[in-house]
Amino acid sequence: MDDTPYISIEKTTTTSLWKNRQPSLLGQLDMELTERCNNNCQHCYINLPEDDLRAKSKELSLPRIKEILRDAVSLGCLRVRFTGGEPLLRPDFSEIYLAARRMGLKVLVFTNATLVTPELARLFSEVPPLEKIEVTVYGMRRESYEQVSRKPGSFSAAQNGIDLLLRHKVPFMVKGVVLPANKSEMEEFSLWARKFPGIDYPPAHAIFFDLNCRRNEKRNRLIKALRIKPEEGVEIITRDRSGYLKSMKQFCAKFMAAGGENIFCCGSGSGGASVDAYGVLQPCLLLRHPDVVYDLEKGSLRDAMENFFPAMRRRKSDNAEYLARCARCFLKGLCEQCPAKSWMEHGTLDTPVEYHCDIAHLQARYMGLIGENELAWEVVDGKSRVEKFVNQDEQPAPA
Amino acid sequence: MGPAFSIEKVYRRSQDVVARDIQGEFILIPITSGIAEAQDEIFSLNETGRLIWERIDGKKNLKQISDGLKQDYSENSQDIEADVCGLTEELLKRKMVEEVTNN
């Protein structure tokens, strides 16, 4: 009847299931199960206190979460990411997790691992998430870790959680953050991270922090004070010069072009979306501008994906500064400026973000794409500069 | 060696696998460990595989499933039996289907 193999094995981490078919309306759903966290990390963009009863009382119920997951599955969703805050803070996390897996979803969990119990580790082992659990680690020692987490006992709790995952052979990876308290431990962290099964690549580090997700001014002052200087950040990401240049050549070949007047040059709200802890659908995990979020209590996931977000994605900028700079800038793909970052920094969808602009310019200078005093949005031959960079064999000297 | 296999036996789909049609791609997603060899594997069935999977219902034996397919599709009967047995054996090996016993 059919000459192809009856059954073929696909790696969920590397395969695009729909191959040449139209992608699903909703391939991935992010769910913030809570905005609360048992840690109180200095730099974090989303960590209400664990005992914030007002926030807790507004969080989605288990039945409602299951409904949303079922709706997502009906739209072709294959992967859900449970994040927070700290998702394991929810006492019904296991039920949420099992429900998602029983619906045929792959589950990605973002956690600090401090709340991993033997029961939960066993559950992850017996009902595997099909994605590596991602554990953020804030320091290699109690002093550095807890200077960041500001929670006594959190270092040993995290170590215990990681040990449990290891003991139950649960696939996971660790990620770091670069803060004054742990900056000197970066190399040690990288070596430690590679000891875990299945990790043969350098761990990711959060280096350039996002501001608070609800634009809390007090939190933002602290985050801004902790932010690494663009020069120092770029020095870190270019430590492995040849690796950096190789990956940037691949990146630039695909993504470097001015975006024009369209505000949404990213994939936000297209094929993926994010539900906050209270049932509001966002086009991505970070974007909470009131004009572009959708209340799932008053509508449906399908309507949001079919109508609301496509209309949002057609929005064009009328901000003169954006049109003069970001819209014309050939570093658009390299720069982290996007509607979400604009919202977090300025409360708008289309304002240049100086911090990210500086970082993008420094990287472009390092790659030899622009000169010392050039501004990328004034460059008229950006495309040919990118082509030259992508095709050159020799590596340019650092600017 | 996997479990003894026979065309006269009845099999049912395992509760530990979820079948999903995503944009025309028919996939089997393991829920519990021990089905996939690696922790990130899922399985894709071709059209023939899907037809057979949907008829493995815990009631009809493989011979009856083959006969049903012969009636619905004008294919060589030996080919159909080979397809039904071939896939079921693979699924059995992977614990995606299980034998139904009378007791």
Side-chain angles (χ1 to χ4, degrees):
Chain A
M1 288 190 278
D2 185 341
D3 288 337
T4 57
Y6 312 117
I7 187 162
S8 57
I9 298 172
E10 313 275 359
K11 289 278 185 188
T12 63
T13 40
T14 53
T15 306
S16 170
L17 272 178
W18 22 91
K19 299 181 180 97
N20 300 321
R21 298 186 172 96
Q22 277 287 316
S24 295
L25 204 50
L26 182 71
Q28 169 167 321
L29 183 69
D30 293 330
M31 291 196 88
E32 286 170 350
L33 296 181
T34 176
E35 286 191 20
R36 298 172 297 120
C37 186
N38 56 329
N39 280 346
N40 181 23
C41 294
Q42 300 172 300
H43 65 287
C44 186
Y45 78 99
I46 179 164
N47 59 351
L48 292 176
E50 163 178 20
D51 57 0
D52 186 328
L53 296 179
R54 194 165 155 265
K56 191 177 178 183
S57 69
K58 291 191 299 173
E59 287 169 5
L60 289 171
S61 66
L62 175 63
R64 184 65 185 121
I65 289 172
K66 287 183 183 175
E67 262 176 33
I68 292 170
L69 290 172
R70 266 193 295 275
D71 288 348
V73 166
S74 74
L75 299 183
C77 185
L78 183 61
R79 179 166 104 145
V80 62
R81 169 164 56 180
F82 291 136
T83 180
E86 172 50 52
L88 304 189
L89 252 190
R90 283 194 63 127
D92 53 4
F93 176 82
S94 296
E95 288 171 88
I96 295 169
Y97 173 78
L98 260 177
R101 288 294 293 109
R102 287 265 169 219
M103 288 180 207
L105 286 161
K106 303 187 294 167
V107 177
L108 175 59
V109 181
F110 278 13
T111 178
N112 58 33
T114 57
L115 300 173
V116 174
T117 59
E119 293 75 28
L120 190 58
R122 201 172 304 124
L123 175 65
F124 286 143
S125 173
E126 290 170 1
V127 182
L130 304 184
E131 295 272 355
K132 281 182 180 155
I133 291 171
E134 297 195 14
V135 178
T136 307
V137 176
Y138 303 105
M140 294 301 296
R141 293 175 181 74
R142 186 179 64 78
E143 296 72 26
S144 53
Y145 188 105
E146 292 179 9
Q147 196 177 323
V148 176
S149 73
R150 299 187 293 185
K151 173 80 180 286
S154 53
F155 176 70
S156 58
Q159 293 295 317
N160 183 52
I162 289 169
D163 284 347
L164 282 167
L165 295 177
L166 275 173
R167 214 176 306 150
H168 286 85
K169 298 187 168 55
V170 178
F172 72 97
M173 58 188 280
V174 291
K175 303 181 292 190
V177 293
V178 180
L179 281 156
N182 62 25
K183 206 159 52 182
S184 62
E185 299 171 351
M186 273 187 78
E187 292 307 321
E188 188 184 353
F189 175 74
S190 292
L191 288 172
W192 175 73
R194 287 187 190 214
K195 285 182 185 166
F196 298 122
I199 301 181
D200 53 2
Y201 43 84
H205 282 89
I207 297 175
F208 305 113
F209 302 135
D210 294 320
L211 296 186
N212 179 265
C213 71
R214 301 285 175 193
R215 309 198 67 245
N216 179 305
E217 284 184 24
K218 192 175 158 203
R219 297 294 305 211
N220 281 349
R221 276 196 294 278
L222 178 59
I223 296 171
K224 281 181 183 171
L226 288 165
R227 269 180 168 174
I228 204 163
K229 297 264 180 298
E231 293 79 5
E232 196 182 351
V234 172
E235 204 179 307
I236 290 172
I237 61 179
T238 56
R239 280 173 309 168
D240 170 12
R241 180 175 162 74
S242 63
Y244 171 80
L245 290 173
K246 189 179 166 196
S247 67
M248 289 316 297
K249 281 180 183 178
Q250 290 166 352
F251 178 88
C252 289
K254 283 187 188 168
F255 300 112
M256 289 279 267
E261 60 187 353
N262 292 320
I263 295 177
F264 288 87
C265 305
C266 55
S268 196
S270 171
S274 178
V275 185
D276 79 1
Y278 319 110
V280 174
L281 190 71
Q282 305 168 183
C284 75
L285 205 52
L286 299 178
L287 182 50
R288 295 166 213 266
H289 189 293
D291 288 358
V292 297
V293 297
Y294 183 98
D295 187 351
L296 286 176
E297 297 307 311
K298 295 177 183 162
S300 69
L301 202 49
R302 176 175 290 278
D303 178 50
M305 298 311 296
E306 279 184 345
N307 303 305
F308 183 76
F309 287 147
M312 171 202 82
R313 289 183 56 78
R314 289 193 289 273
R315 285 178 75 143
K316 296 188 189 309
S317 176
D318 57 4
N319 176 348
E321 195 188 8
Y322 181 90
L323 293 171
R325 291 175 51 182
C326 304
R328 298 167 54 202
C329 185
F330 81 106
L331 304 181
K332 185 78 178 108
L334 182 66
C335 181
E336 286 199 32
Q337 195 282 349
C338 66
K341 300 293 169 78
S342 173
W343 154 248
M344 295 170 108
E345 304 269 341
H346 301 292
T348 64
L349 290 171
D350 55 353
T351 305
V353 177
E354 299 305 336
Y355 186 60
H356 295 307
C357 184
D358 289 348
I359 294 163
H361 274 74
L362 280 167
Q363 288 190 81
R365 284 188 194 110
Y366 186 87
M367 290 182 259
L369 288 169
I370 56 172
E372 193 57 36
N373 298 311
E374 271 187 310
L375 296 170
W377 58 86
E378 292 176 351
V379 169
V380 291
D381 62 340
K383 192 178 170 193
S384 61
R385 291 189 192 192
V386 169
E387 280 171 7
K388 189 177 162 200
F389 168 66
V390 167
N391 295 317
Q392 71 190 358
D393 290 331
E394 78 278 20
Q395 295 170 354
Chain B
M1 287 287 287
F5 171 83
S6 163
I7 196 168
E8 303 296 337
K9 285 184 177 175
V10 177
Y11 296 91
R12 69 175 156 233
R13 302 187 288 259
S14 166
Q15 298 277 308
D16 291 329
V17 175
V18 174
R20 294 187 57 191
D21 179 341
I22 300 183
Q23 300 294 105
E25 189 89 22
F26 193 74
I27 55 173
L28 301 179
I29 302 168
I31 303 302
T32 54
S33 57
I35 291 176
E37 281 168 27
Q39 294 263 24
D40 61 348
E41 282 176 359
I42 55 178
F43 303 84
S44 183
L45 287 188
N46 70 5
E47 283 302 312
T48 306
R50 177 182 186 153
L51 279 173
I52 299 167
W53 170 264
E54 287 172 343
R55 290 177 191 228
I56 298 176
D57 58 0
K59 292 173 189 157
K60 294 188 285 292
N61 68 25
L62 297 187
K63 182 83 175 65
Q64 291 166 317
I65 290 174
S66 302
D67 290 344
L69 285 167
K70 281 175 214 165
Q71 280 184 359
D72 296 346
Y73 299 89
S74 48
E75 292 277 336
N76 178 308
S77 66
Q78 280 186 332
D79 287 350
I80 288 186
E81 277 192 13
D83 280 341
V84 170
C85 292
L87 176 67
T88 309
E89 264 191 300
E90 276 209 57
L91 294 170
L92 194 61
K93 196 173 66 188
R94 297 178 191 281
K95 299 181 195 160
M96 290 174 162
V97 295
E98 53 206 16
E99 188 185 329
V100 178
T101 49
N102 288 331
N103 40 11

